[in-house]
Amino acid sequence: MRILVIRRGAIGDIIVTLPTLEILRENYPDAYIEVIGNYKYWEIAHNRYYVNTVSSGETRFLYEIYLRNREFSKETVNYFSSFDLVLAYISDPEGIVRENLIKIGVKRVIIYPPFPRGENQHAADYTALILREIELNVNPPLFPKIHLSREDLNFASRFLFPFREYQPLVAIHPRTFGHKGWAIEKFIEIGRWIENTLNGKSMWIIGPAEEENIKAIESNFPSSPILKFQSLPEVAAVLGSCHLYFGCDTGISHLAAAAGTRVLALFGPTNPRVWCPRGKNVLIVKSDEMPKIQEDKVEEIITKYITSNDIEGIRCLQSEDLNDQLTTP
């Protein structure tokens, strides 16, 4: 069986799609599964149990199927007609894409809006419900899981070897811009507190969106490991070896949860019931505005979190004056 999944989006969108691919793989273990999407993000699933190929069809063929009354190129017809099933997470209100794919010769086409519209259904569960249309069992809640290669794990072992004695080793992803961000000064304060008070080590994750903070982090943490611009599988492997991950409402937070790390994530206006990282050990600090979340409150939660499995007890640390809510997914 040949299956094509059309799923574009950012890191979090890919992570919440992993349970869907897991159900497909479990039911069709010998299937060839290809994805049209951003390879930089889909690398986390490519040749790592879920996906055989991440397709360049995103740029070569995909635009043709959005046009009504289109004469398709031979390459486009050959490409799409080779699939038995196409699952497309796209907006297709007029049914043009579906009509074109059937015309091309795809045996079965299912179009699904890419994002949940309700306020109480988690994105991972929503994304998988498409499979009920092909009579596969979907039993929420679903938890994304990452399958890493030996090379990924070897990279993490080499990277973290000089810091293996530190307890705790806390990964920090300092997202600072926009309504989902927290001030860099607050992240730095948390990092100092981890190293000076807990006698642990902070480990910093920097991607293109955090590049402006590199100098501040390097100057304040000259002996701390900084993971800069690494591939997502390598980042996931490193996160899986940390005692705790701390960040905001970002795709890297989803990645950490899927890697099995304990996660503490700060949420502003985004609804965590839909978009929180989905994992077995995830704690969300929710406030109507990110600046209201103070460092001392986060420090209190981290202290409890790294020494206890009692998440319900941690929820009691809710700060009434900040009007925030501590929730688990």
Side-chain angles (χ1 to χ4, degrees):
M1 186 173 189
R2 289 175 56 84
I3 301 171
L4 175 66
V5 178
I6 302 174
R7 179 57 154 166
R8 294 174 291 179
I11 298 170
D13 302 313
I14 276 61
I15 298 299
V16 300
T17 308
L18 295 182
T20 303
L21 294 171
E22 183 173 21
I23 295 171
L24 281 173
R25 185 58 75 194
E26 288 175 349
N27 283 273
Y28 304 108
D30 298 322
Y32 170 85
I33 300 178
E34 185 167 327
V35 167
I36 290 179
N38 186 323
Y39 182 80
K40 182 171 64 174
Y41 302 146
W42 273 108
E43 187 180 4
I44 196 65
H46 181 221
N47 288 331
R48 293 170 174 84
Y49 182 67
Y50 295 115
V51 175
N52 300 93
T53 302
V54 180
S55 179
S56 60
E58 181 177 12
T59 55
R60 292 176 57 200
F61 312 127
L62 195 57
Y63 75 95
E64 291 191 37
I65 65 174
Y66 279 89
L67 303 176
R68 191 182 295 278
N69 300 321
R70 173 79 180 189
E71 287 297 325
F72 305 108
S73 65
K74 181 179 179 181
E75 291 80 7
T76 297
V77 171
N78 290 341
Y79 176 73
F80 285 110
S81 65
S82 70
F83 292 100
D84 302 290
L85 172 66
V86 172
L87 307 177
Y89 294 93
I90 61 174
S91 178
D92 186 32
E94 298 181 18
I96 296 173
V97 173
R98 186 177 188 280
E99 178 182 326
N100 284 340
L101 288 173
I102 291 174
K103 180 180 178 181
I104 285 172
V106 179
K107 296 177 177 63
R108 182 141 192 204
V109 178
I110 301 176
I111 306 293
Y112 210 59
F115 306 116
R117 296 175 181 173
E119 296 183 353
N120 294 306
Q121 186 177 51
H122 193 274
D125 299 335
Y126 166 83
T127 303
L129 292 179
I130 192 174
L131 299 178
R132 289 181 176 174
E133 297 195 31
I134 56 173
E135 299 180 346
L136 297 183
N137 290 328
V138 179
N139 299 306
L142 301 174
F143 294 85
K145 183 168 54 179
I146 293 174
H147 297 263
L148 297 170
S149 69
R150 184 179 299 241
E151 290 75 16
D152 303 328
L153 296 172
N154 286 343
F155 170 83
S157 180
R158 293 192 304 271
F159 181 80
L160 292 175
F161 183 79
F163 311 98
R164 65 193 183 281
E165 302 298 330
Y166 284 97
Q167 298 276 347
L169 178 62
V170 180
I172 301 176
H173 181 226
R175 175 59 58 86
T176 58
F177 66 88
H179 64 272
K180 296 182 179 182
W182 209 43
I184 186 60
E185 294 80 10
K186 293 187 176 185
F187 280 111
I188 289 173
E189 169 60 28
I190 294 297
R192 286 175 176 163
W193 173 79
I194 288 168
E195 300 195 354
N196 297 332
T197 302
L198 297 185
N199 295 316
K201 180 63 73 174
S202 60
M203 194 279 292
W204 299 81
I205 302 169
I206 300 296
E210 294 77 43
E211 188 172 5
E212 66 180 8
N213 296 316
I214 290 178
K215 289 184 180 180
I217 293 168
E218 288 178 336
S219 63
N220 282 278
F221 303 93
S223 65
S224 293
I226 302 177
L227 197 62
K228 292 186 284 191
F229 312 117
Q230 298 298 138
S231 70
L232 289 185
E234 291 172 337
V235 174
V238 171
L239 289 172
S241 297
C242 293
H243 301 108
L244 178 68
Y245 165 89
F246 171 59
C248 301
D249 173 16
T250 68
I252 299 299
S253 297
H254 285 269
L255 187 73
T261 310
R262 287 189 171 199
V263 170
L264 174 60
L266 311 182
F267 266 63
T270 310
N271 184 354
R273 294 184 181 276
V274 179
W275 291 111
C276 72
R278 179 62 80 71
K280 300 293 185 181
N281 293 290
V282 174
L283 189 67
I284 303 299
V285 177
K286 175 73 171 75
S287 181
D288 57 345
E289 295 179 9
M290 292 289 286
K292 291 184 178 180
I293 302 174
Q294 298 301 315
E295 302 96 294
D296 59 348
K297 178 54 60 177
V298 172
E299 291 168 0
E300 187 179 0
I301 296 168
I302 290 176
T303 301
K304 181 95 171 168
Y305 201 13
I306 62 177
T307 59
S308 173
N309 291 319
D310 181 15
I311 292 180
E312 289 300 317
I314 301 171
R315 291 177 59 154
C316 296
L317 297 173
Q318 178 174 338
S319 172
E320 295 180 1
D321 59 328
L322 293 183
N323 231 358
D324 62 10
Q325 298 174 351
L326 305 186
T327 62
T328 53

